[in-house]
Amino acid sequence: MKNIAIIMGGYSSEYKISLTSGNVVYQFLDKTKYNAFRIHIFKEKWVYVDDKDQEFPIDRNDFSVTVKGVKIAFDCVFNAIHGTPGEDGLMQAYFQLLAIPQNSCDYYQAALTFNKRDLLSVLKPYGIKTATSYYLNLGDEINEELILKTVGLPCFVKPNKSGSSFGISKVKTKDELLFAIDNAYKEDDEIIIESFLDGTEVSVGVINYKGTITVLPITEIVSENDFFDYEAKYLGKSQEITPARISDEMTAKVSAVAKKAYEVLKMSGFSRSEFIIVDNEPHMLEMNTIPGLTTESLIPQQAKNAGISLEDLFTNAIELALTKK
């Protein structure tokens, strides 16, 4: 039996969602094949948490844990940390140095995709369309006239490196711009301001399934709020329709763009990309490499629609990671 460390938690605003994702992985992992261990990664502690909620410290020198005098090493890591340090490349690089296989993409791809500005810049030459954008770093002069001339109104102000829609605002009037910028700076010292794309929002999961890059059924996002924000994502304020109500032709087009992005970036593991379809053209917003894995999350919904159970989805991710070693 292989020992699998499911890492969850993290150092960002997303830690609670990550704990939920990690516990779903723990719940659905095939216990006939794997010994699963819940590992909480927080700034103040890295610990193994057993079924009685007892905590055992992780030895960071080799990522092992000693329980009742027995040292346990791990054959593979299942990464369920949204945000830093699980989605931005830090954990990936750490495990690569320790030669421990892990199921998510490599450290470079993680760091690149976590940085929205860099991701979109890399994909643009490959013909992948994006919104018009304006960049700000903390301390930069804020030229409101130039920003609005570049992106127009309404527009979106986003932290460059954060997830779950923390720090994002939809700006409808010039008066709201500075407040939105301050709000985004609470999450990150880099900001991306994007033109509003008025169209159908879709989310596309791409995975390597049994050795083949596979695009999952597409989900259409219909938010009750102004956009697919935290409430819409996690508090039921949106409709998520899988498969999306788009033509077969558009489904093929979006799938091809999502797959192309996955291949161009030499991705592995899970990816979930968000697009808005405007004038029959998908425009990419971002790519998540540690997407939510709760039972309500999009990738599990899409997998279910494709006839892939959660147990099968997680087994596939681990087996691929073990062959990557």
Side-chain angles (χ1 to χ4, degrees):
M1 294 263 283
K2 301 271 191 214
N3 290 338
I4 310 298
I6 304 164
I7 59 171
M8 58 187 93
Y11 305 166
S12 78
S13 308
E14 295 186 87
Y15 78 92
K16 284 183 182 165
I17 302 151
S18 169
L19 291 174
T20 307
S21 287
N23 280 308
V24 169
V25 176
Y26 181 72
Q27 183 189 339
F28 284 95
L29 211 58
D30 187 342
K31 302 298 190 295
T32 63
K33 285 184 182 159
Y34 311 117
N35 296 317
F37 295 80
R38 291 178 302 170
I39 311 292
H40 287 191
I41 304 277
F42 293 115
K43 274 184 182 157
E44 63 279 6
K45 61 183 179 182
W46 290 20
V47 290
Y48 157 53
V49 182
D50 72 8
D51 287 338
K52 293 175 185 156
D53 285 336
Q54 277 184 285
E55 295 184 353
F56 302 87
I58 294 291
D59 182 345
R60 299 191 198 190
N61 293 300
D62 59 2
F63 198 70
S64 65
V65 65
T66 301
V67 181
K68 294 169 187 162
V70 179
K71 180 170 170 162
I72 299 166
F74 299 106
D75 299 294
C76 183
V77 172
F78 194 110
N79 184 353
I81 297 177
H82 312 307
T84 189
E87 202 165 5
D88 57 1
L90 295 177
M91 295 306 291
Q92 289 86 341
Y94 168 72
F95 291 123
Q96 188 169 334
L97 288 171
L98 292 178
I100 300 174
Q102 55 89 33
N103 74 302
S104 64
C105 60
D106 291 337
Y107 69 92
Y108 170 74
Q109 282 77 3
L112 176 69
T113 49
F114 197 65
N115 186 313
K116 296 182 184 80
R117 302 188 326 197
D118 290 357
L119 167 72
L120 298 174
S121 302
V122 166
L123 290 175
K124 237 177 210 168
Y126 292 92
I128 293 173
K129 294 180 171 54
T130 63
T132 304
S133 56
Y134 186 100
Y135 300 163
L136 276 178
N137 293 344
L138 191 61
D140 285 355
E141 182 198 345
I142 299 167
N143 184 331
E144 291 175 77
E145 301 296 333
L146 183 59
I147 293 170
L148 297 179
K149 189 181 168 191
T150 307
V151 300
L153 283 170
C155 63
F156 282 100
V157 179
K158 308 175 180 180
N160 187 34
K161 303 184 293 291
S162 89
S164 295
S165 302
F166 286 112
I168 296 186
S169 309
K170 184 177 181 181
V171 173
K172 296 170 186 163
T173 64
K174 185 182 173 183
D175 296 344
E176 297 169 353
L177 184 62
L178 289 176
F179 176 79
I181 289 170
D182 284 342
N183 188 41
Y185 276 142
K186 285 176 191 161
E187 292 290 330
D188 190 17
D189 59 3
E190 298 174 351
I191 290 179
I192 180 168
I193 304 174
E194 291 181 329
S195 61
F196 172 60
L197 295 171
D198 193 5
T200 304
E201 181 162 354
V202 293
S203 186
V204 194
V206 182
I207 61 173
N208 182 329
Y209 188 65
K210 298 183 176 171
T212 304
I213 294 173
T214 304
V215 182
L216 296 171
I218 295 169
T219 302
E220 180 183 347
I221 310 292
V222 184
S223 177
E224 287 173 31
N225 294 355
D226 258 347
F227 62 98
F228 195 40
D229 61 5
Y230 182 87
E231 282 192 327
K233 277 181 183 161
Y234 301 109
L235 304 178
K237 294 285 183 82
S238 69
Q239 267 184 294
E240 295 160 7
I241 302 158
T242 311
R245 300 168 300 179
I246 54 179
S247 67
D248 292 349
E249 187 187 8
M250 184 48 65
T251 298
K253 197 171 194 175
V254 175
S255 299
V257 175
K259 188 178 181 196
K260 183 178 186 178
Y262 191 97
E263 290 172 336
V264 160
L265 298 172
K266 298 189 171 69
M267 282 296 298
S268 52
F270 300 110
S271 90
R272 197 192 74 225
S273 300
E274 320 301 331
F275 293 91
I276 293 184
I277 302 164
V278 183
D279 298 331
N280 281 329
E281 288 293 342
H283 290 64
M284 186 185 252
L285 298 178
E286 61 180 42
M287 181 188 280
N288 300 283
T289 59
I290 314 284
L293 295 171
T294 68
T295 45
E296 291 79 41
S297 295
L298 294 173
I299 289 265
Q301 278 184 45
Q302 294 170 3
K304 187 179 175 184
N305 197 268
I308 302 169
S309 69
L310 282 179
E311 186 178 291
D312 194 14
L313 187 70
F314 300 152
T315 298
N316 177 70
I318 288 167
E319 293 305 319
L320 281 171
L322 288 167
T323 57
K324 210 167 62 167
K325 189 170 180 180

